[in-house]
Amino acid sequence: EVQLVESGGGLVQPGGSLRLSCAASGITFSSYWMHWVRQAPGKGLVWVSRINSDGSSTDYADSVKGRFTISRDNAKNTLYLQMNSLRAEDTAVYYCARFEYHSGYYYFDYWGQGTLVTVSS
Amino acid sequence: DIQMTQSPSSLSASVGDRVTITCRASQSISSYLNWYQQKPGKAPKVLIYAASSLQTGVPSRFSGSGSGTDFTLTISSLQPEDFATYYCQQSYSTFLTFGGGTKVEIK
C-alpha cells in the first residue's frame, strides 16, 4: 500500500522557519518526481514546488521562490520542504504528492494527509 | 502562468442529477488536464487525467472531455458520496495551476 505521511507542521511566528517532511512507503520513491501543494483555510489548491527523481532539478511558485527549498533523500524515502522567512499568507495545509506519468501525461495519483502550518504572532 | 477558470464556483443538485462542471485555460494546454475530487478534511483524489482518461477505480459515472482551452467534467447520475469540491489542474506547464474549485452541494 502506498503511503505518504507528512510531518513538521505547527505554529510559527512571522519571519520564522519550519521544515516539513514527507515519508513515503509502498512505492519506489526514487523513481518519481514529487511535489508540494498547499491549501489555505477554506481556499483552493495551490502548487508550491517540485523536485525531479534524483533531486538535481527543482522549481518553485513565484510566491515562495527564494524562501522555500525542496529536497529529497532517496535513501530514506523522504521529501522535504524547508520554509524560511514565513509570512501570514503561508498559512495552509501542505500536501506532498506523487507525480505519476502515464502514456505521456502527468497527474497527482497519491497524496499525503497534509500538515497544517500556521504563521501567526 | 496558465490561468485555470472553473464554473460554476458552486452548484446545488439532487441525487440522480446529471452534473457538468467546466474548466477553461488561459492558453491551449492540449489534453494536459486533470480533475480531482476533494472532501472536507481530506486530500484530493484524482478522477480523470489527460482530459478524458478515467483513473483506475473511479466509477464510470465520471467522465471528462475537451482539449485546447475548454474542458468538461460530467457526473452522469449524482450519488450521495459525490458531494464534494472538484478541481481541474493543468500539467502542460512546468508551473502547475489549479482551477478555483466547484463545490457540489445537496439540493
Side-chain angles (χ1 to χ4, degrees), chain A residues 38 40 67 87-92 94 119:
Chain A
R38 69 184 181 184
R67 300 188 298 123
R87 307 166 179 167
E89 55 265 36
D90 295 319
T91 294
Y94 285 73
V119 184

Side-chain angles (χ1 to χ4, degrees), chain B residues 3-19:
Chain B
Q3 307 303 315
M4 306 300 294
T5 303
Q6 278 183 245
S7 61
S9 56
S10 67
L11 65 89
S12 295
S14 301
V15 172
D17 284 354
R18 181 181 182 89
V19 169

Side-chain angles (χ1 to χ4, degrees), chain B residues 82-94:
Chain B
D82 300 337
F83 292 96
T85 300
Y86 294 84
Y87 294 92
C88 61
Q89 174 249 321
Q90 64 81 16
S91 58
Y92 179 85
S93 165
T94 295

Side-chain angles (χ1 to χ4, degrees), chain A residues 13-105:
Chain A
Q13 292 188 337
S17 298
L18 274 180
R19 189 176 84 153
L20 306 184
S21 299
C22 169
S25 60
I27 62 171
T28 309
F29 180 72
S30 60
S31 297
Y32 292 92
W33 292 55
M34 296 294 295
H35 296 244
W36 289 98
V37 175
R38 69 184 181 184
Q39 186 170 36
K43 302 296 185 182
L45 301 166
V46 176
W47 175 77
V48 173
S49 182
R50 74 171 190 181
I51 187 167
N52 70 345
S53 56
D54 67 7
S56 62
S57 176
T58 58
D59 289 288
Y60 300 91
D62 286 345
S63 58
V64 307
K65 192 176 294 184
R67 300 188 298 123
F68 289 12
T69 302
I70 190 172
S71 62
R72 66 192 296 160
D73 185 336
N74 286 342
K76 295 183 177 179
N77 288 347
T78 303
L79 175 72
Y80 302 102
L81 186 68
Q82 178 67 45
M83 303 186 297
N84 299 331
S85 303
L86 282 162
R87 307 166 179 167
E89 55 265 36
D90 295 319
T91 294
V93 173
Y94 285 73
Y95 295 101
C96 63
R98 185 179 90 164
F99 215 32
E100 170 68 292
Y101 175 83
H102 189 277
S103 300
Y105 295 89

Side-chain angles (χ1 to χ4, degrees), chain B residues 57-78:
Chain B
V58 173
S60 59
R61 62 181 180 272
F62 291 95
S63 64
S65 65
S67 67
T69 59
D70 294 314
F71 302 87
T72 299
L73 174 70
T74 300
I75 310 172
S76 60
S77 178
L78 198 66

Side-chain angles (χ1 to χ4, degrees), chain A residues 39 50 102 106-108 111-112, chain B residues 34 36 38 43-44 49 91 94:
Chain A
Q39 186 170 36
R50 74 171 190 181
H102 189 277
Y106 285 97
Y107 56 97
F108 295 119
W111 299 66
Chain B
N34 308 313
Y36 299 87
Q38 187 181 34
Y49 65 94
S91 58
T94 295

